[in-house]
Structure formats: C-alpha cells, structure tokens
C-alpha cells in the first residue's frame, strides 16, 4: 500500500508521461525474473499470433499489462481528459438499460475494466458496479482506497449473506453489473469451449447468476491500443429474461460458447491485452457438466 500511494503521488503530481517511465523496468523485470508468467505469455502469444513469439512480443505483452494498471490511477481519479476512448455498441447498451431492469456486463481479464467503469463515473445516468468474490473485493477495495476512497463503493462482494440482495437492488435500479467470467476460485462447474483453437474450461457461475436473476447479458471489453488510446466494445451476448427453468442449462451453455467466441475475436483484434498469466488451457480439477 505504501508503494502504491507513492506511485499514485508521483503519477498525479508529475504527470502520466513521467509515471510511465517506470513501466519499462517493471515490464523488463517480469520478462527476466518471472518464469511462470513468461511461460504463460509465450504459450498464449503462440496461439494468438499463430507463430513463435519473439522476445519483443513478450515484452510488449508485459508492458501493455503494466500500462493499463498504471492508467487506473488516472481513471479512478476522474482524469478522463488524458485519454482518447472510442466506444462501440453503446447504443445497444443504453437500449437494453432503457427497460429499467438492469443488465449484466460479462468481461474477462482482457484489456482494462477500469476504463469501462469510467463511463459510469463520467455519465451519472449509467451506473456500473463490479461483482467479485469477497477476498478479491477486499484486496481491490484496499487498492482503490489508496488511490481514491470514493472508488470503493462500486464493488459488490460475493459470499456474504446480503450479496444477492445488493446485486438485485443494483439491477432493479436500472444499473449495470460487471463480472469477469474467465476465472473461477474453485468449486465452480466448468464448461469446455473453443478458444484460440484449443479447449479451455470456462466457469458457469457468472452466467448462472444472470440466468437465475433473468437479466440480459452484454459482453464488454476495454482494449488498450497504445499511447493514450482505448477502445470499449459492447456486444449482445445472451438474454435470460424469458428463459424457462428447464431450459436454463442449455441457455447457459449457449451463452458460454458465445462468450468464448467473443473472447477469441477480441484476443485476435488486440493480442497483447490478454492478462491471464497462467496456464489457461490446462484443465482444472473441478466438476464439468455431464455429457448428454
């Protein structure tokens, strides 16, 4: 927390250009001294680039990750004027929100979620709350509080007695609930899906929550394009509003397949934005849906 506060002070007092200077040694450090992350980066880049990655590809991958983390400092502090942000599919998002029942935004560790939440901070009529497991929520809240104490109110932690009540209240008020649906803390049912030409196990939990609460789901990603440029994309993913209970499993499976296809599309569009630095394609020892 001390280092985070020092970095925040340097970035806000000296400016984004000065703050970005330290990103190069950070990227170089992980490239040289983080073998597990380097191996995962190499495996992913080989899949998405369809060729053996070079050292500069790995360096660019780590630098892109560091850049998006650094930009959080400014986005959380409402310094939106520092960035050029394109938004694609916002009309679709607002049309669905106009119904007043809220919706789920399903993303991944692909690009910057913070730049998407910045839309909600910039436009007061668009509320975007993040949902995550309680342990992660506590860590993220502590990090956000070190940067800007006002930012912690946007996070709903799962695993508490009133979690679902808070989630439903946010939706009923016409808000958007964001979840990152590409990882599981364990114990979740996994569905096999095709991603970058290979099988990957994706958790069903986020989609089951959306199905249980009978809400539409929109895919989201905030891709970093270099410099100060970001591109936010919203794509319709699924609509559980009228799905009967006996059709829920099939609807969840179809939504996960669509989610994987969109992940594949945007990984190929901005390949250095993938921030899962572990063996993503290795089967996890958790339950899978029964084969029909």
């Amino acid at each position: 927390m001390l280092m985070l506060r020092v970095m925040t002070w340097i970035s806000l007092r000296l400016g984004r250009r000065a703050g970005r200077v330290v990103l190069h040694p950070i990227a170089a450090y992980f490239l040289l001294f983080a073998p597990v992350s380097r191996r995962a980066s190499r495996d992913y880049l080989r899949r998405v680039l369809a060729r053996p990655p070079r050292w500069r590809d790995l360096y660019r991958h780590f630098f892109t990750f560091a850049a998006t983390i650094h930009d959080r400092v400014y986005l959380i502090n409402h310094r939106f004027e520092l960035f050029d942000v394109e938004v694609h599919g916002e009309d679709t998002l607002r049309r669905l929100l106009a119904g007043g029942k809220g919706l789920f935004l399903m993303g991944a560790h692909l690009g910057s979620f913070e730049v998407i939440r910045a839309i909600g901070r910039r436009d007061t009529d668009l509320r975007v709350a993040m949902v995550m497991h309680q342990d992660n929520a506590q860590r993220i809240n502590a990090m956000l509080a070190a940067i800007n104490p006002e930012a912690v109110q946007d996070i709903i932690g799962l695993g508490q007695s009133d979690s679902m009540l808070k989630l439903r209240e946010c939706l009923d008020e016409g808000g958007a609930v964001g979840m990152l649906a590409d990882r599981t803390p364990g114990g979740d049912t996994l569905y096999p899906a095709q991603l970058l030409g290979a099988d990957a196990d994706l958790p069903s939990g986020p989609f089951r929550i959306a199905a249980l609460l009978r809400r539409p789901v929109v895919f989201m990603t905030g891709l970093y394009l270099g410099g100060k440029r970001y591109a936010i994309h919203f794509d319709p993913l699924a609509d559980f509003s009228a799905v009967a209970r006996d059709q829920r499993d099939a609807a969840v499976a179809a939504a996960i397949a669509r989610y994987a296809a969109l992940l594949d599309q945007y990984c190929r569009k901005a390949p250095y934005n993938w921030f899962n630095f572990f063996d993503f394609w290795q089967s996890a020892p958790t339950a899978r849906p029964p084969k029909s």
Side-chain angles (χ1 to χ4, degrees):
M1 285 300 127
L2 176 60
M3 288 301 297
L4 182 59
R5 289 188 176 94
V6 170
M7 186 64 194
T8 299
W9 187 90
I10 291 173
S11 298
L12 294 178
R13 295 300 184 277
L14 302 183
R16 183 169 176 266
R17 179 177 297 181
R20 281 171 65 89
V21 170
V22 301
L23 301 184
H24 293 284
I26 289 173
Y29 173 85
F30 279 96
L31 180 63
L32 296 173
F33 301 111
V36 174
S37 297
R38 185 174 65 245
R39 185 163 54 249
S41 173
R42 189 186 304 276
D43 177 57
Y44 161 74
L45 291 172
R46 176 181 56 81
R47 297 174 188 274
V48 74
L49 299 176
R51 61 169 173 80
R54 304 177 180 90
W55 280 95
R56 64 173 176 266
D57 294 314
L58 274 69
Y59 178 84
R60 184 176 176 184
H61 193 193
F62 286 118
F63 183 86
T64 300
F65 178 54
T68 61
I69 297 298
H70 179 238
D71 283 345
R72 279 185 178 183
V73 171
Y74 303 99
L75 293 167
I76 290 171
N77 281 281
H78 305 264
R79 297 293 306 276
F80 310 128
E81 77 282 357
L82 297 175
F83 304 98
D84 292 334
V85 181
E86 308 168 5
V87 183
H88 305 273
E90 187 173 3
D91 291 345
T92 298
L93 180 68
R94 291 191 178 277
R95 175 176 54 79
L96 290 171
L97 286 172
K101 296 183 178 180
L103 56 78
F104 282 87
L105 291 170
M106 292 293 180
H109 294 81
L110 177 71
S112 170
F113 180 72
E114 205 61 55
V115 76
I116 299 173
R117 286 210 302 168
I119 297 178
R121 296 192 186 101
R122 183 194 64 194
D123 302 332
T124 56
D125 62 330
L126 178 60
R127 179 188 174 191
V128 182
M130 183 65 179
V131 176
M132 61 182 66
H133 289 272
Q134 186 59 29
D135 290 344
N136 287 340
Q138 291 175 349
R139 286 194 292 266
I140 295 294
N141 268 333
M143 183 199 76
L144 295 177
I147 299 173
N148 184 347
E150 296 178 2
V152 300
Q153 62 188 3
D154 293 329
I155 296 180
I156 300 173
L158 292 178
Q160 296 179 307
S161 58
D162 61 346
S163 295
M164 294 300 289
L165 178 61
K166 290 180 179 179
L167 205 162
R168 188 185 292 273
E169 286 178 352
C170 180
L171 293 167
D172 288 343
E173 292 171 0
V177 171
M179 303 181 76
L180 302 184
D182 56 336
R183 294 185 193 172
T184 176
D188 197 355
T189 299
L190 300 179
Y191 277 73
Q194 277 286 305
L195 179 60
L196 299 179
D199 285 335
D201 291 330
L202 297 176
S204 63
F207 297 95
R208 291 193 176 279
I209 291 174
L212 179 66
L213 296 178
R214 303 170 68 88
R215 309 291 167 140
V217 181
V218 173
F219 180 85
M220 64 174 178
T221 186
L223 302 176
Y224 178 63
L225 304 181
K228 60 179 182 178
R229 297 182 300 124
Y230 283 86
I232 297 173
H233 295 268
F234 297 111
D235 293 273
L237 198 159
D239 191 348
F240 295 108
S241 302
V243 174
R245 185 172 183 176
D246 61 348
Q247 299 174 333
R248 192 176 294 164
D249 287 346
V252 166
I256 292 174
R258 164 75 172 158
Y259 173 79
L262 288 166
L263 272 184
D264 190 292
Q265 173 185 329
Y266 286 111
C267 281
R268 297 180 191 277
K269 185 179 183 68
Y272 299 98
N273 277 252
W274 177 259
F275 301 146
N276 283 307
F277 291 99
F278 60 92
D279 188 358
F280 191 85
W281 282 265
Q282 181 179 11
S283 296
T286 50
R288 289 191 180 198
K291 294 181 179 180
S292 57

